[in-house]
Amino acid sequence: MEDMKVFHAARRLESGERAWAYAVGAMYHVAHGFAADGVDPLCAGDFQKDMLARDWGIRDRQTLVAQLTELGAEGHRHSHAARLRYYAMQWRPAIASIREELRALVRDGDDDAAANLWRLDAVQAGERGIRSSTLLAFDAARGVMLARAGLMLDWLTEDEAWSYLVDIARDVQRSYTSWAAYGADFVLSRDVWRGGSTPDAFNTAVDMLLHDQASPWVALPWELPFSTRPLTPVEPDKPMWTLERR
Amino acid sequence: MIQTPAASDWTALGIDPTTDADEVRRAYRARLRDVGPEADPEGFQTLRAAYEKVLAAVDDARSTPRSDEGDHDAALVDRFLSDLLARRSAGDEAGAIALVDEVLASHRPGTAMAEMLADSLMEHLSLARNISPRLFRHLADRLDWRDVQGRSARDDPERHALVLDRIAAEDWYGELAGSPGDPDRQIETIMASDRERAAAALRASPISQEQRQHVRNLFEQLMSHATFVLTRFDGGTLALLREAVEGPPLLGEPTVAPPVPLTAATTSPAQLVSPQRRNLIRIGVFGLLGAVVAGKLIYSSKSSDGGASTALAKDIALPMLKDPKTAWLELVPGPDGVKVDWAPVMRMRNAIKELHVGYNEEMPTTLFPLPTSDVAIGFIAPPTLTTISMRILYSDGTWSTVRQYNIRKAGQ
């Protein structure tokens, strides 16, 4: 990722809801060495398959669709948001006790406890608006990245991939006020997921996307009007990103 | 649309794959004792999701072959559920509710089709995690979900008990958030609002002493309904209310280095933390948490009310702390059990570099973070807590001896 840069696709998506939806996953496109504003079919190959199998346990269309639908309904955002709110409302003696219990487990080599200790401390410090975040951005960006991989590998049809991507975009647009706010919450929600905040390639990618002239985040207005979401039948073998608010 | 349970679902329930629904329910009840919604919200969600998925698959597998008419009705129900899911996934809450009303109205109550529809909604939506609150409340009102002796309750008591919990949570939330602007419900309005509005309201009208207790009560109620409604609250608002009651948050420090060995033994701190000890620490944690939540605090500092700090100056506190006659804790037997009051040691905190404690252990190996300002610490000791050991690294760099406080003896 040392040579990470933002560059145009050979065939850029025309400005519109598809371009906007694709830009929601731009941090992954950039970090993976792909164009940020268009799906280049020449990029399909071993990288995608290896990454999907290694990081996600995805080996075919069926497992990809299941993962996409899970991200669309649940992801990490709901369980992490519940934990952060739980930490936000605990009284000080309880915080002291939880912290000590976690520290004891950390000394015992428990990585999950270390992540939870970071989350607990970040909530107490009110770091980067962590107490109020919906944590949607990390799941949304990953949904776009997986759908892009599905498109490149021909595991998803154009229609089902773009229908899924545009629904993610609708969810993202109604939840944030700007590309900057979305990018910041991506970094935050990813930090919550990994339980730490050491800057890495994704911090750089977000920063580049906010400033680079080749970035779709610079080119596309946040308030792009989206078409009314059509009522389409739900089919279990197709990916679904739900817009139902709970 | 029945999902096939994954291996992790069976693992979550702690049983091998089975088609016996009763075994699944028994396993779920057994696991609930360890993974309760309050003690481990995330674990409970995982367990509940596994339970729903497994039970749905088991029920589906054991369903008897249907007649042609039954097949037709089942196809209609499947179509209805699919149409409903299409509206829900599109975010069309009003359309989903209208569809429910339309379909329920087209079948007379008591008919086989009406019962099949009700059963399907109970099975697929009553505990669905991503259903909109308004649609859930509508279904609870339209169907017999509130009826403790209705068909749903008789058919699947465990599921129905959880549905009743969810209804109670929704009713509580509806009441809390349902009267914005009511001057008699100022705290409720703040609690249900976003952080910016809550901050403005608290700036305009700081909460009174009486309202502080009300916040504590509301937080306790929220914890009892947390599984279903916690994420609907703005965590920033909850933190603001907490701070309005007890002051700024207890900020963390870098993860502590292993404490100085208390004896000449070469045992590492990691080795000291046995599973049994972790359980005892948990006893302490949840005992303290439970006491706080239950409002059984017995020490309230002046500064938490906005007054002066009760902490003694270092040069006064140090000799007192070293004096064997000075108690670090106060153990007061009462009708609810022994009250453990940390006020004495907290008053002398300016002369303490590190405070180590142990629950039911001779050697106190857990580092207790000292508050930088007055904070109420005290709890009713749970029956399993028999001793508290303490050792202090004084501000002059010397160590105290280990002191043992016998809870059981104090209670006699």
Side-chain angles (χ1 to χ4, degrees):
Chain A
M1 293 187 190
E2 287 174 7
D3 299 329
M4 198 162 55
K5 61 182 180 181
V6 183
F7 62 93
H8 293 303
R11 290 177 58 191
R12 291 160 64 174
L13 289 159
E14 290 182 20
S15 180
E17 54 188 35
R18 285 192 175 190
W20 204 101
Y22 197 69
V24 168
M27 49 287 259
Y28 281 100
H29 309 328
V30 170
H32 289 176
F34 297 138
D37 55 4
V39 190
D40 188 344
L42 297 177
C43 292
D46 290 344
F47 168 78
Q48 304 275 10
K49 283 188 177 173
D50 290 348
M51 181 270 296
L52 292 178
R54 182 187 64 238
D55 298 344
W56 295 83
I58 294 171
R59 300 182 186 282
D60 51 25
R61 172 188 160 84
Q62 188 184 0
T63 48
L64 173 65
V65 167
Q67 186 60 69
L68 288 169
T69 298
E70 200 281 332
L71 268 180
E74 200 65 37
H76 286 296
R77 57 193 176 281
H78 295 298
S79 60
H80 282 155
R83 180 178 290 279
L84 299 187
R85 279 148 183 75
Y86 176 78
Y87 286 159
M89 66 181 292
Q90 295 305 306
W91 305 108
R92 292 173 56 138
I95 291 295
S97 298
I98 295 169
R99 186 174 280 142
E100 275 321 290
E101 183 185 23
L102 291 174
R103 282 177 173 168
L105 295 170
V106 169
R107 288 195 290 269
D108 214 10
D110 187 328
D111 291 339
D112 288 342
N116 278 330
L117 184 58
W118 181 88
R119 293 168 189 137
L120 177 73
D121 288 346
V123 168
Q124 297 311 302
E127 200 174 297
R128 292 176 281 160
I130 190 172
R131 297 164 178 164
S132 300
S133 172
T134 62
L135 307 177
L136 168 68
F138 181 51
D139 285 336
R142 292 187 303 160
V144 174
M145 181 269 289
L146 289 182
R148 176 253 287 158
L151 258 180
M152 287 177 169
L153 291 168
D154 231 8
W155 288 353
L156 299 177
T157 66
E158 289 269 336
D159 282 351
E160 59 194 14
W162 284 113
S163 169
Y164 180 84
L165 288 165
V166 172
D167 276 349
I168 294 179
R170 290 187 172 98
D171 204 1
V172 166
Q173 194 187 52
R174 73 182 180 181
S175 303
Y176 299 94
T177 54
S178 65
W179 287 113
Y182 170 66
D185 200 50
F186 169 79
V187 172
L188 174 68
S189 48
R190 185 167 172 273
D191 285 349
V192 170
W193 165 73
R194 62 185 173 141
S197 57
T198 308
D200 63 9
F202 285 96
N203 297 66
T204 309
V206 167
D207 193 49
M208 290 168 70
L209 286 162
L210 287 170
H211 300 102
D212 196 300
Q213 288 307 304
S215 165
W217 292 10
V218 173
L220 295 169
W222 180 261
E223 298 291 352
L224 182 88
F226 272 74
S227 57
T228 304
R229 206 277 197 185
L231 197 61
T232 50
V234 173
E235 296 174 52
D237 62 343
K238 292 188 175 179
M240 181 180 76
W241 184 280
T242 184
L243 295 171
E244 186 171 31
R245 287 187 189 272
R246 67 191 197 183
Chain B
M1 189 168 52
I2 305 295
Q3 284 185 287
T4 305
S8 58
D9 296 320
W10 295 107
T11 304
L13 288 165
I15 54 174
D16 292 328
T18 177
T19 55
D20 184 347
D22 288 339
E23 186 182 350
V24 172
R25 293 191 183 100
R26 278 196 300 274
Y28 175 71
R29 280 198 298 270
R31 292 284 293 124
L32 267 184
R33 290 183 206 118
D34 300 325
V35 189
E38 289 173 38
D40 184 0
E42 197 177 339
F44 175 70
Q45 284 196 357
T46 304
L47 173 64
R48 212 187 72 206
Y51 174 64
E52 288 167 25
K53 201 191 291 184
V54 166
L55 199 60
V58 168
D59 286 346
D60 188 55
R62 69 176 181 168
S63 60
T64 52
R66 295 161 174 150
S67 64
D68 288 347
E69 189 180 344
D71 284 345
H72 176 70
D73 287 351
L76 286 177
V77 170
D78 287 346
R79 174 70 183 274
F80 162 62
L81 291 174
S82 179
D83 289 348
L84 190 58
L85 182 58
R87 283 165 172 75
R88 290 173 54 213
S89 63
D92 183 6
E93 185 182 62
I97 289 172
L99 178 66
V100 167
D101 285 346
E102 180 190 328
V103 171
L104 291 182
S106 61
H107 299 282
R108 204 155 37 83
T111 61
M113 184 62 183
E115 290 190 350
M116 194 183 287
L117 282 167
D119 290 347
S120 296
L121 289 168
M122 181 70 174
E123 181 182 338
H124 294 286
L125 292 187
S126 64
L127 293 176
R129 278 180 290 179
N130 55 358
I131 186 174
S132 89
R134 203 172 137 228
L135 175 59
F136 174 82
R137 286 196 296 269
H138 190 74
L139 290 170
D141 291 340
R142 287 292 313 253
L143 302 168
D144 69 344
W145 295 359
R146 290 177 182 274
D147 186 350
V148 294
Q149 294 179 322
R151 256 183 86 246
S152 299
R154 293 195 304 274
D155 286 353
D156 188 345
E158 277 83 17
R159 171 182 285 271
H160 190 255
L162 285 172
V163 173
L164 286 177
D165 285 347
R166 187 173 197 168
I167 290 171
E170 290 294 350
D171 287 349
W172 176 81
Y173 182 82
E175 191 178 342
L176 182 102
S179 311
D182 182 342
D184 294 333
R185 299 174 64 79
Q186 184 197 355
I187 300 299
E188 285 85 346
T189 300
I190 292 172
M191 193 164 155
S193 61
D194 62 34
R195 189 195 166 283
E196 283 69 30
R197 269 180 263 186
L202 288 169
R203 271 196 305 273
S205 175
I207 63 176
S208 65
Q209 185 64 37
E210 193 177 273
Q211 286 174 318
R212 290 179 188 184
Q213 186 55 46
H214 190 44
V215 172
R216 288 185 183 277
N217 294 340
L218 287 174
F219 272 25
E220 188 181 343
Q221 291 164 20
L222 172 54
M223 282 312 299
S224 71
H225 299 306
T227 304
F228 301 107
V229 298
L230 181 56
T231 53
R232 244 173 269 170
F233 289 86
D234 185 327
T237 299
L238 298 176
L240 279 177
L241 280 170
R242 181 181 55 72
E243 288 176 26
V245 171
E246 62 168 10
L250 201 57
L251 295 179
E253 300 158 11
T255 303
V256 292
V260 176
L262 300 174
T263 68
T266 54
T267 312
S268 74
Q271 289 169 310
L272 290 172
V273 186
S274 65
Q276 291 82 0
R277 182 170 168 273
R278 265 182 244 148
N279 285 336
L280 290 169
I281 291 173
R282 288 191 183 100
I283 289 168
V285 169
F286 292 117
L288 189 58
L289 177 59
V292 171
V293 169
K296 290 179 178 174
L297 286 170
I298 56 174
Y299 168 63
S300 294
S301 69
K302 287 179 183 172
S303 75
S304 63
D305 296 337
S309 169
T310 62
L312 299 168
K314 188 192 295 181
D315 56 342
I316 298 173
L318 187 59
M320 284 181 67
L321 206 52
K322 290 184 174 182
D323 185 346
K325 294 176 195 162
T326 306
W328 294 347
L329 292 180
E330 279 184 22
L331 306 178
V332 184
D336 297 328
V338 176
K339 297 174 182 175
V340 181
D341 190 351
W342 294 69
V345 73
M346 289 302 141
R347 285 194 198 102
M348 297 182 281
R349 64 177 180 269
N350 286 338
I352 300 175
K353 266 190 180 173
E354 288 180 14
L355 168 60
H356 294 256
V357 299
Y359 298 107
N360 294 358
E361 286 196 321
E362 286 186 14
M363 299 309 296
T365 51
T366 299
L367 184 63
F368 193 97
L370 291 165
T372 53
S373 58
D374 280 348
V375 56
I377 301 181
F379 61 94
I380 306 295
T384 46
L385 185 60
T386 55
T387 59
I388 295 177
S389 57
M390 301 174 76
R391 197 180 192 198
I392 286 172
L393 177 60
Y394 298 119
S395 57
D396 61 8
T398 59
W399 280 95
S400 73
T401 55
V402 175
R403 291 194 187 182
Q404 300 283 348
Y405 289 89
N406 192 320
I407 310 288
R408 188 166 289 168
K409 196 173 171 184
Q412 290 170 349

